[in-house]
Amino acid sequence: MNSKTLLLLSLVLCYSFHLFGQKTEIVFLSGKDAARTVEWDFYCTDGQNSGKWSKIPVPSNWELQGYGTYNYGHDHKRKDVKLGKEHGLYKHEFEVPASWKGKTVKIVFDGSMTDTKVKINGKSAGKMHQGAFYRFKYDISKLLDYGTTNLLEVDVAKHSANASVNAAERQADFWLFGGIFRPVFLEVLPKTHMARTAINAKADGSFQTLIELNKSKSDYSLAVELFDMTGNPVGKAQQYDIGKGVSEKTISGKFENVASWNPERPTLYDMRISLKKGNDLVHQVTERIGFRTVELREHDGFYVNGEKVVFKGVNRHSFWPETGRALSEEHHRTDIRLMKEMNMNAVRMSHYVPDKRFLQLCDSLGLFVLDEVTGWQDGYDTTVGPKLIKETVLKDENHPSVVAWNHGNEAGWDFANEKWFHHWDLQERPVIYPWLLRNGIDTHHYPKYDYAVGRFVDGNAPFMPTEFLHGLYDGGHGAGLNDYWTKYSASPLFSGGFLWVLADEAVLRTDQAGTVFDSDGNNAPDGILGPHREKEGSFYTIKEIWSPVQVRPVTINDSWNGSLFLENKFIYTNLKECRFEWEAVKTEIGRQDETVIGSGTVPSPDALPGETARVDIEMEVPLTEADIFRFTALDPQGNELYSWSRPVVQPEVKAAAYLSKNYAESEIQITDENNRVIARVSDLSITFNKADGTLKGIENAKGPISLAGGPVPVGTAAEIEDVQMGITKKGDYQVTIRYTEYPKKLVWTVKKNGLLGLAVDAPLQTMNDLDYLGVTFNYPEEKVNGITWMGRGPYRVWKNRIKGSNLGVWQKAYNNTVTGESFNNLVYPEFKGYHADTYWMTFDTDESDFTIISETPNLYFRLFTPEEPKHVRGGVYPPFPKGAISFLYEIPAIGTKFNMPDRLGPSGQKGAFNAREGDQTPPIKVWFDFRTNRP
């Protein structure tokens, strides 16, 4: 290497070192998140493992590490529960290079629960901070020993000395934790630096930037540059002057040819702001931003970039069972991925400010965010409140995903503090009060379907419930959502809504023997997802209803012309950017596999948001060969929006193909003894009760089959009038049962080929207030291993939660999951419950497998009775008929934590049946195949 090269290299290195030295340097004292922690010395003053120094990972909540006391927010009302008010004392040594002398060094805490005192080398870093979920910092430049080891000491009080902080945070409807649960780091800045760079970047490329200097003793200049995510410059750098003595300046400008940010296309840029003194770089800051314009228009709604927005959102707690509110990168990504998989475009931060990293991911992956200052039915006072609002705005102000501020929750506010949002927020985003009609938006929580006089669809203000359809166990969320969404969407004032809540908040108790996940009774099992993000049935209901592509209803059969009409429910995306696929499949009764007989893609139509377009599907194979037609919509990134399935054949056609198979026949032998009649055909024997015509038992070559005790009518008070038994002219054996009420007549038929048929007359009377209607049987639950069936699946359904289930062939093993409660063994889909659109089912048992085939369209089958959750509330445990296996015209709806199903819309009403003589209502007609050599 020659001397010129060495000189050039040294100049480059000197410049790079100089440039790096003028940027903000971040040095972590803790780990970066819950998956990458650093151990500090720790002492807990009370509760588990208290009274001794040990080690604890930081960040973390100390309860989850085996210290202190577990409390839920309502525990302050309970005299039988100890309210833990322990302190956590932390110590940590860190090195400070001599090269930092002369710079500004700040220590930053991203979240500490709650009152926090900080010392550096035995000296106080500043006034105690109060408030658990906020970023706070101290300038510790004068407290450091440079070029040597320094000591950090932190005293964290789980409860606050300020009554309003406790009321807002520590007496809330969520788990209370203690500890430094978010990162702690040092900011190393030049002596003169930009202390704040707030940016208001509009959709048209214009921007305002507020620059605050820590001091201004000279004339300075500013350069503002913009770069795309590949590092390429966008437009020209813009120059500004700051005169001597000016410590705060707002600059404005415009970059041409920028793409706006929205959740469907979350385009981001890096804005680099350079502070210079003459030609010398003093400080340089890079902020990641998106250009977007937010408006809340009076008597109209939310607009982002000039397009009206309907928020499809959910409330999200920062929570993981093993780490509490200390989260990892993967936790954040998982939550956002699942929200977007449900076709959500928005999330509400309930009920506190989130991790910085979560908002960064909302920016880049695309979600609207309502950012919330804590206050659960009580708010901060006018001393602490303004400070915490300032800390919220200054941390989160440049995130394009943040489109509104929430000032507390359900009366958790002091109106006097509201002014501080716009005082600090350069963008002046809307300020929302979740629960109120205020500031031009109605956010009332948990509205009943017919709510209300002068509000929502009958009001004059944009409306969006910031909490609705409160989940509990398997209730709420998807149940009733289609009714609500259909009704609300008809109003021009509709701005969306936020379901309560994303995930069950069941915490791992380190203070109890074994592995115990605790949701504090029914206070916290409210999720669409389990605590480890297991998907409940409502996940798919929401996915279908909120899909930004909707397929208009169509009957698909062998006469179908191949046309579908697609509705564009996106806000910003043309359907020509999406992709569409189809397939036609053939199934076989008793087999799980499907045969694809045709598939293809569909040219994407040119349809703007709000438009409907027709697509035509060309199939080489006629649909007469298929049983099911599926259509899938994918977004511009290739992610599935939803996959719909439609039946091509009716159940009676599918059944006829199976029943018509050539099968050996033999004469039926009848044995009449005491109170029973036994019909024997081949190696099969079927025993009937002579008094009521019900099954007493089945036996084939493999042994007994325990299906018995039915059919028994359910849903009416029918009594038996008459039972007739005998051989028909065709040589079949029939049992005819007549009733006083529905079903009036029921007929068993034992065929000479060994099939057992059941025909239940259709209702020919008026009936009201039906929870269910049909017939039921007994079968011992402990003998069942699993089931394969053709119908809607794979999850069970309720009357008001049919969407999200799709026609197909499904299989699931037996489980005894209690939704939102069986946290040690959450197996989804749940085995037990109601299932829709039954074609056939094959039971895998400890005895002999058997198959049941339906000829009845729209038939529900009930598969055992789910266990009742321990803390039932509201309408979340609907009725089930007696017995174990039932065939039904009608099933019940499910409610929410606060409302019975009849308050949730039309599909939540109890059933009614009206018939006239001559109606050709399909009877319940099913076939039982107990043969050991069945097809």
Side-chain angles (χ1 to χ4, degrees), residues 395-468:
K395 178 175 80 75
D396 297 343
E397 60 190 346
N398 290 336
H399 291 286
S401 57
V402 177
V403 294
W405 307 111
N406 286 354
H407 190 189
N409 170 71
E410 298 180 355
W413 46 68
D414 186 321
F415 293 125
N417 289 333
E418 180 185 330
K419 62 185 178 183
W420 297 108
F421 283 98
H422 285 176
H423 175 85
W424 294 110
D425 183 21
L426 185 65
Q427 297 183 27
E428 295 191 349
R429 279 164 274 220
V431 178
I432 292 172
Y433 286 83
W435 218 18
L436 293 187
L437 194 173
R438 190 174 176 89
N439 292 347
I441 185 79
D442 193 346
T443 64
H444 183 78
H445 286 183
Y446 307 114
K448 296 177 177 62
Y449 178 81
D450 56 0
Y451 175 88
V453 175
R455 299 183 73 169
F456 277 39
V457 295
D458 297 315
N460 195 35
F463 64 93
M464 63 170 191
T466 38
E467 293 177 26
F468 77 121

Side-chain angles (χ1 to χ4, degrees), residues 3 52 107 120 235 238 248 350 353-354 356 364 405 407 427 446 485 495 514 560 632 641 654 662 740 747 808 863:
S3 59
K52 57 185 178 182
I107 189 168
I120 301 293
Q238 304 191 26
E248 182 178 305
S350 56
V353 179
K356 182 77 171 176
S364 61
W405 307 111
H407 190 189
Q427 297 183 27
Y446 307 114
W485 212 251
S495 294
W560 178 49
T632 300
L641 297 170
K654 191 69 183 168
N662 193 13
T740 57
V747 178
L863 189 60

Side-chain angles (χ1 to χ4, degrees), residues 313-314 316 339 345-349 358 362 367-370 498:
V314 70
R316 186 243 190 187
M339 290 179 214
N345 63 12
V347 58
R348 175 191 174 204
M349 299 293 94
F358 182 78
C362 289
L367 279 176
F368 292 126
V369 175
L370 306 188
F498 293 80

Side-chain angles (χ1 to χ4, degrees), residues 151-178:
L151 177 64
L152 167 65
E153 297 174 278
V154 187
D155 180 341
V156 180
K158 187 172 178 177
H159 281 254
S160 179
N162 180 288
S164 76
V165 172
N166 289 330
E169 300 178 4
R170 308 280 90 183
Q171 298 172 5
D173 188 6
F174 47 77
W175 283 104
L176 308 183
F177 298 116

Side-chain angles (χ1 to χ4, degrees), residues 663 666 679-686 698-703 753-754 930-933:
Y663 217 87
S666 59
R680 292 183 176 91
V681 54
S682 186
D683 61 357
L684 185 68
S685 66
I686 305 170
I698 311 291
E699 189 168 351
N700 63 16
K702 293 184 179 180
N753 62 7
F930 301 108
R931 301 173 298 189
T932 55
N933 59 341

Side-chain angles (χ1 to χ4, degrees), residues 561-721:
N561 65 1
S563 295
L564 292 175
F565 289 88
L566 308 183
E567 298 177 348
N568 186 347
K569 301 289 187 177
F570 281 104
I571 302 172
Y572 306 96
T573 302
N574 192 310
L575 290 190
K576 67 182 179 181
E577 302 172 56
C578 299
R579 195 167 83 246
F580 303 95
E581 301 172 347
W582 65 271
E583 68 174 12
V585 301
K586 185 76 173 175
T587 68
E588 187 173 340
I589 291 177
R591 296 177 61 89
Q592 185 179 349
D593 55 310
E594 301 175 342
T595 302
V596 177
I597 64 168
S599 63
T601 59
V602 182
S604 301
D606 186 353
L608 293 170
E611 295 182 343
T612 298
R614 169 175 164 167
V615 295
D616 294 303
I617 296 167
E618 298 180 3
M619 288 173 285
E620 297 178 0
V621 179
L623 272 182
T624 52
E625 301 295 321
D627 295 331
I628 301 171
F629 178 82
R630 293 196 179 100
F631 184 79
T632 300
L634 301 112
D635 71 11
Q637 292 74 42
N639 302 306
E640 181 195 85
L641 297 170
Y642 197 71
S643 182
W644 295 264
S645 63
R646 298 287 187 269
V648 178
V649 298
Q650 293 290 309
E652 62 180 333
V653 175
K654 191 69 183 168
Y658 182 85
L659 300 174
S660 65
K661 290 183 178 181
N662 193 13
Y663 217 87
E665 295 185 346
S666 59
E667 294 301 315
I668 299 172
Q669 304 296 320
I670 301 299
T671 302
D672 189 337
E673 53 184 41
N674 299 324
N675 65 343
R676 62 180 186 167
V677 173
I678 304 172
R680 292 183 176 91
V681 54
S682 186
D683 61 357
L684 185 68
S685 66
I686 305 170
T687 303
F688 297 97
N689 186 312
K690 286 177 66 175
D692 59 16
T694 61
L695 282 177
K696 288 181 68 71
I698 311 291
E699 189 168 351
N700 63 16
K702 293 184 179 180
I705 299 173
S706 302
L707 187 72
V712 172
V714 291
T716 63
E719 295 181 0
I720 294 174
E721 284 187 326

Side-chain angles (χ1 to χ4, degrees), residues 720-760:
I720 294 174
E721 284 187 326
D722 182 51
V723 177
Q724 298 290 329
M725 300 179 176
I727 298 288
T728 69
K729 292 180 180 180
K730 294 182 178 180
D732 299 330
Y733 184 72
Q734 280 192 344
V735 178
T736 302
I737 312 167
R738 298 184 185 278
Y739 297 90
T740 57
E741 304 287 341
Y742 168 81
K744 292 293 187 180
K745 186 179 74 172
L746 181 154
V747 178
W748 280 115
T749 302
V750 181
K751 304 288 288 184
K752 291 194 294 182
N753 62 7
L755 284 171
L756 175 63
L758 174 65
V760 184

